[in-house]
Amino acid sequence: MRKIQMVDLISQYEQIKPEIDIAILSVVEKAQFINGPEVSAFQTELENYLNIKHVIPCANGTDALQIALMALGLKPGDEVITPSFTYIATTEVMALLGLKPVFVEVDKNTFCIDPESIRSAITPKTKAIVPVHLYGQSAAMESIMKIANEFDLFVVEDNAQAIGCDYTFADGTKKKTGTIGNIGCTSFFPSKNLGCYGDGGAMCTNDDELAEKIRMIANHGQSKRYYHDVVGCNSRLDSIQAAILRIKLSRLDAYNNARQNVAAYYNEAFENVQEITTPFKASNSNHVYHQYTLKLDGIQRDDLQNYLAEKDIPSMIYYPVPAHRQKMFSAFGSNALNLPITDWLTERVISLPIHTEMEEEQLRFIADEVKTFIQQTKK
Ligand SMILES: *Cc1c(COP(=O)(O)O)cnc(C)c1O
C-alpha cells in the first residue's frame, strides 16, 4: 500500500506525466513565461467550463479576493458579512483594505454561511456578503442572493474549495459555484480541486464593467501601458501554471468524481457509527469534497489524531481557530462575539485524507482504524 497522504500530488502527476512534461517544456522553449498564449487559452477554457463571460486569472486565491473587493469600490469602514468558520484569507483581505469584516454563523450541517445570520447582521454600513463554499459544497446561494437583492449588497463568492460544484435553484436552473454572485474567486493552490504546481488564482464575472476594472487593478491600474488610472497591484498567473491548469481542467469533472467516490466509501463505512456524523449533502448542491470532514461526538479528537498518526494516517483540523477568535482581528472587537455553532464545530471537526488517486486498500485501512479507535475507547 502506498503511503497515505491528505493529498497525493505525486500519484496524480504520475498519471498525467507525459502530457504535463510536454506542456511545461513547450512554455520554456517558447520563453513566453508571462501572459503567454497558454494563459489566454486557459482563460477561455475556464470561461466555457464555468459558463461565464469573463475569467481574469491572477497570482493566487487571496489576491483574487482582495482584487474583487477593490473592484467593488468599497470605502474604508464599509462592512462585509462573512462566515467566521473559514480559511483566514477570506477575511484577512477585508481588514487589509480597511473594510470591517462582520463575522456570522454557519449552518451546523453544511458548514456554510447561515442566511438568517446574514440578515440579522445587516446595518446601513453593510455593502457586501462573502459566502464561502466550504469543503466543496455550495452555500445557500438562492437565499443569499435574495437577501443581497433586497438590501442592495454585492456578493463575492469564495469558491477556492468548490470549483466544479453545481448549485440548483428552486426553478431547476443550474449554475456553477462562483458564477452566481457579482464576482467569484478561486485558488489554484496545488492541493485545491483544480490545482497548479505553484500559486495561481482567478476571478470570474458576467459584468463587463467589473471585469474591466478587475483586469486593470490586477495590472497596476493600467488602462493603457504606462497610463495608470487607479491604484492596483501586480497579480498574474504565469504561463507554466496555465499550461498545467489546461490539462487538469480537462480532467476536473473526473477528479471531482473520484473525490465523490472516496466520500461515498467513507459514508458507507461510518454509516452505523454513532460517534461520527458524516458530511451532510444539501439537496440543491452537489459536493466536490475538497475536504471530507467528520463531526465527532463523545470522542477525544486529539487522541484519535494521535492514534491515526501512529498508523501513518494523516488527518487535519480545518480550522482549529475560527476567524473571530484570531488575534489579527482583536481591533474589531470580534473576540467578544458569540458564535456558538462556529465554536462548537471548531472543537468537533476532523478531516480525513481525500484526493483523486486514493486506493480502496487505503480507504479500508483508514475506515477500519477509525472504527477500531472508537471501539477501544468505548471499553
Ligand atoms: C485556499 C483558500 C483561499 C486562498 O487561496 P490561496 O491561493 O492560497 O491564496 C481562500 N479561501 C479559501 C476558503 C481557501 O480554501
Side-chain angles (χ1 to χ4, degrees):
M1 186 169 73
R2 263 183 189 269
K3 187 172 156 52
I4 297 171
Q5 307 203 42
M6 287 302 286
V7 179
D8 189 345
L9 293 172
I10 294 175
S11 295
Q12 190 189 62
Y13 168 61
E14 283 168 2
Q15 299 296 318
I16 52 177
K17 181 174 170 15
E19 255 182 280
I20 293 276
D21 291 1
I22 289 170
I24 293 175
L25 252 182
S26 106
V27 173
V28 176
E29 281 165 356
K30 292 189 207 117
Q32 287 169 318
F33 299 111
I34 303 290
N35 290 334
E38 293 290 345
V39 177
S40 47
F42 171 65
Q43 180 186 312
T44 307
E45 285 160 11
L46 189 57
E47 283 164 356
N48 292 337
Y49 177 83
L50 294 172
N51 192 20
I52 193 143
K53 259 174 110 175
H54 307 281
V55 164
I56 305 99
C58 66
N60 57 68
T62 309
D63 273 11
L65 288 158
Q66 182 185 325
I67 295 165
L69 290 172
M70 286 170 82
L72 298 179
L74 307 184
K75 288 184 295 300
D78 283 350
E79 295 179 1
V80 182
I81 297 176
T82 184
S84 173
F85 194 66
T86 181
Y87 180 54
I88 199 66
T90 316
T91 55
E92 182 186 33
V93 295
M94 297 168 191
L96 196 65
L97 295 173
L99 305 169
K100 183 183 177 195
V102 175
F103 303 106
V104 301
E105 283 283 33
V106 289
D107 179 283
K108 71 178 195 309
N109 295 317
T110 64
F111 305 111
C112 292
I113 195 165
D114 171 23
E116 282 318 305
S117 195
I118 296 176
R119 212 175 257 284
S120 43
I122 292 172
T123 75
K125 284 188 167 173
T126 308
K127 294 288 150 58
I129 308 168
V130 179
V132 182
H133 305 305
L134 201 72
Y135 303 152
Q137 179 165 238
S138 179
M141 287 311 292
E142 188 149 13
S143 308
I144 293 168
M145 294 313 291
K146 207 171 143 227
I147 296 170
N149 290 332
E150 198 179 318
F151 294 92
D152 202 17
L153 307 174
F154 293 111
V155 174
V156 174
E157 295 173 71
D158 183 340
N159 195 33
Q161 300 191 359
I163 195 157
C165 175
D166 289 309
Y167 181 82
T168 310
F169 290 81
D171 68 1
T173 322
K174 262 190 194 186
K175 283 188 181 176
K176 293 274 183 216
T177 52
T179 69
I180 301 165
N182 302 84
I183 307 173
C185 299
T186 200
S187 161
F188 305 125
F189 185 78
S191 64
K192 299 285 155 93
N193 288 33
L194 178 60
C196 57
Y197 291 176
D199 272 310
M203 294 144 284
C204 66
T205 182
N206 276 315
D207 183 321
D208 297 342
E209 259 178 61
L210 269 180
E212 197 47 43
K213 258 183 147 167
I214 290 169
R215 253 183 219 110
M216 271 174 71
I217 293 169
N219 185 24
H220 298 293
Q222 292 185 98
S223 52
K224 206 164 82 179
R225 201 161 200 193
Y226 305 124
Y227 291 80
H228 307 271
D229 299 351
V230 294
V231 174
C233 55
N234 172 28
S235 192
R236 300 182 286 235
L237 179 72
D238 73 68
S239 306
I240 289 181
Q241 302 309 336
I244 293 161
L245 286 166
R246 291 185 67 193
I247 294 165
K248 290 183 65 170
L249 177 60
S250 71
R251 289 170 168 78
L252 179 58
D253 286 343
Y255 283 155
N256 283 340
N257 204 257
R259 289 174 178 276
Q260 287 160 346
N261 290 338
V262 170
Y265 185 98
Y266 282 138
N267 284 345
E268 200 184 320
F270 299 133
E271 200 173 31
N272 300 313
V273 183
Q274 261 187 18
E275 293 81 358
I276 287 177
T277 307
T278 54
F280 175 84
K281 206 185 93 35
S283 60
N284 53 4
S285 158
N286 68 349
H287 198 319
V288 294
Y289 294 99
H290 175 60
Q291 299 298 343
Y292 184 85
T293 305
L294 301 173
K295 284 183 285 191
L296 303 176
D297 186 15
I299 295 176
Q300 286 300 318
R301 185 172 63 178
D302 291 351
D303 293 349
L304 172 60
Q305 273 206 297
N306 290 337
Y307 175 87
L308 293 176
E310 274 168 30
K311 310 278 172 188
D312 262 337
I313 301 172
S315 60
M316 291 290 284
I317 310 303
Y318 301 114
Y319 297 92
V321 183
H324 78 284
R325 296 204 177 279
Q326 298 287 353
K327 262 195 208 156
M328 182 195 273
F329 296 122
S330 52
F332 295 96
S334 58
N335 300 169
L337 276 175
N338 187 27
L339 299 176
I341 294 170
T342 297
D343 287 334
W344 184 83
L345 285 175
T346 302
E347 287 161 16
R348 274 165 187 77
V349 290
I350 184 168
S351 301
L352 297 180
I354 188 164
H355 56 77
T356 59
E357 317 296 321
M358 282 192 86
E359 295 157 359
E360 187 156 343
E361 192 186 9
Q362 296 176 317
L363 289 169
R364 192 179 315 121
F365 182 67
I366 297 166
D368 286 350
E369 290 298 347
V370 169
K371 287 195 271 192
T372 303
F373 173 81
I374 291 172
Q375 282 305 321
Q376 282 179 6
T377 52
K378 268 187 181 172
K379 278 182 197 148

